[in-house]
Amino acid sequence: MNQPSLADVPIEHLHLPELAAQQLIADVLRLDLLHPVVSGNKWFKLQKHFRQAPPHAPILTFGGPWSNHIVATAYAAKQAGRNAIGIIRGERPVSLSATLQEALSYDMELEFLGRHDYAAKAQPSFLRELSRRHTGAYIIPEGGGGLPGIEGSEDILRLAPASEYTHILCAVGTGSTWMGLVRAARSGTRVLGIPVLKGMTAIADVDREGLLTPAELDRAVLVPGFHFGGYARHPQELLDFMNRFYDRLGIPTDIVYTGKLFYALWKIVDSHFFPARSRLLIIHTGGLQGNRSLTRGKLIF
């Protein structure tokens, strides 16, 4: 995977009266257009992991049946000439999801694990057993997290004139992307994270290892309350918003991350959170392939 440049990723201005009425400028960094498979932030989170992995070591990672991370890792491993193993949450279904079929097409080996056992995926004893069964494998945490994922995400702001913005916004899953943006942002910028999982209401819920410095914590803001019931939950209200958003602006979003991000943005704007003349940079982290889990016709794009 070649290092992307600003020319590879457009920055799209949002021309909307709701923003103009409050003297706000909002741009979208379209990471979803960076690569057709290693979409959005996945490229950045994986790059440091692949560099850190010993030469020719198999890549082992975790994810659900519609995981963006699984299919991105499978593709990246094939391109790098490495074997890949995906530990998939849940029992093996009769029919594989389109995501897992695509991962198989990139020669990823799939292992299915019941939800109870899968919940132990970060436990040292479980990881030791995995290492014993897959000798020499380099293990990437679910979602491409860990310090390499955070450090890789810092490079995202090299694709935008970050110093021009007062606020940067992104969705928060594992938190790696958000923490990378917090670390890379200039002093005085507020970096807003929109959690898409339940239970993320404080920064300590994301930065569990205390990796952010006091100076970085000063610009870190979590805005909870927009998870719509939990990870990947997508009630009709969210789908309706995603369709309206696409109809107005032509920007597709996904049901897990960016749909909730832009919904939260609109609610925050309505609350007059941002001072007049604020300049916002919204990070579109891709992941659109996850929409394939929906019945055809639910979305207009």
Side-chain angles (χ1 to χ4, degrees):
M1 297 184 294
N2 297 323
Q3 180 76 28
S5 68
L6 183 55
D8 299 316
V9 184
I11 296 176
E12 192 163 333
H13 182 64
L14 298 184
H15 296 278
L16 290 168
E18 297 95 323
L19 300 170
Q22 296 186 39
Q23 301 179 60
L24 304 177
I25 293 174
D27 295 331
V28 182
L29 184 63
R30 295 290 305 273
L31 294 184
D32 57 308
L33 300 177
L34 175 61
H35 192 279
V37 181
V38 188
S39 175
N41 60 339
K42 301 305 178 191
W43 191 99
F44 297 91
K45 292 201 286 186
L46 286 174
Q47 60 166 328
K48 291 287 176 72
H49 278 294
F50 272 72
R51 291 176 190 167
Q52 185 169 292
H56 311 299
I59 302 295
L60 185 150
T61 195
F62 310 84
W66 295 99
S67 167
N68 299 311
H69 171 67
I70 284 291
V71 74
T73 302
Y75 179 92
K78 186 173 180 64
Q79 292 298 303
R82 294 174 181 265
N83 293 330
I85 303 109
I87 307 299
I88 309 303
R89 182 184 68 248
E91 304 296 336
R92 186 183 185 98
V94 175
S95 299
L96 295 181
S97 68
T99 298
L100 296 184
Q101 291 178 46
E102 186 175 352
L104 280 177
S105 76
Y106 303 135
D107 300 325
M108 175 177 265
E109 176 187 341
L110 303 181
E111 289 189 13
F112 292 83
L113 202 61
R115 289 177 177 270
H116 175 76
D117 293 332
Y118 186 87
K121 61 186 177 298
Q123 296 298 320
S125 58
F126 178 80
L127 294 174
R128 284 195 297 270
E129 172 60 20
L130 268 185
S131 296
R132 185 190 66 77
R133 289 195 289 112
H134 298 283
T135 305
Y138 177 85
I139 298 177
I140 300 178
E142 185 176 37
L147 188 57
I150 295 170
E151 292 175 343
S153 296
E154 293 181 38
D155 289 342
I156 291 172
L157 291 188
R158 296 179 182 174
L159 301 183
S163 62
E164 296 181 5
Y165 297 97
T166 59
H167 299 79
I168 297 169
L169 295 84
C170 77
V172 177
T174 64
S176 304
T177 300
W178 177 69
M179 289 177 62
L181 295 171
V182 169
R183 287 165 56 130
R186 68 177 178 86
S187 178
T189 301
R190 308 291 298 282
V191 184
L192 278 65
I194 310 300
V196 301
L197 291 82
K198 282 185 176 180
M200 284 186 173
T201 57
I203 290 174
D205 297 326
V206 183
D207 183 19
R208 296 182 179 88
E209 298 180 20
L211 297 176
L212 297 178
T213 67
E216 291 163 352
L217 288 169
D218 282 344
R219 54 183 176 264
V221 182
L222 272 190
V223 186
F226 297 101
H227 54 68
F228 281 90
Y231 185 76
R233 297 291 178 89
H234 49 276
Q236 192 61 44
E237 180 184 3
L238 178 62
L239 299 178
D240 290 343
F241 169 80
M242 292 166 62
N243 283 329
R244 290 194 305 271
F245 187 76
Y246 182 79
D247 188 54
R248 293 183 73 184
L249 294 164
I251 299 176
T253 55
D254 77 290
I255 58 175
V256 179
Y257 299 102
T258 54
K260 297 176 182 182
L261 167 67
F262 284 101
Y263 181 95
L265 169 65
W266 251 242
K267 292 296 184 180
I268 297 168
V269 168
D270 284 345
S271 73
H272 293 265
F273 174 90
F274 301 107
R277 292 178 292 281
S278 293
R279 296 180 62 94
L280 319 179
L281 180 66
I282 303 100
I283 311 298
H284 192 312
T285 50
L288 298 174
Q289 73 84 29
N291 288 341
R292 293 187 290 182
S293 65
L294 296 175
T295 304
R296 186 181 297 274
K298 288 280 189 179
L299 296 175
I300 63 174
F301 51 89

